[in-house]
Amino acid sequence: MRKDPKVICPFCQQQQSLSKSLTAQSNQNVIFTCSHCHESIKNIETSKG
């Protein structure tokens, strides 16, 4: 059984699944969006970006 890692929102401290909170962009960056408070952080650089 595969488990989905959890992330903690830096704004409201709620936990949510990684797959529901991160969106990959075509430029190798990601967008974090909290499903609870709807805050977002854009253009998070990855090791490839």
Side-chain angles (χ1 to χ4, degrees), residues 4-33:
D4 194 17
K6 301 287 184 188
V7 294
I8 299 173
C9 174
F11 302 102
C12 69
Q13 307 304 312
Q14 293 290 321
Q15 288 188 11
Q16 53 201 326
S17 68
L18 182 70
S19 63
K20 293 182 180 179
S21 60
L22 295 180
T23 305
Q25 295 180 295
S26 61
N27 61 0
Q28 302 297 325
N29 292 344
V30 293
I31 298 173
F32 168 82
T33 305

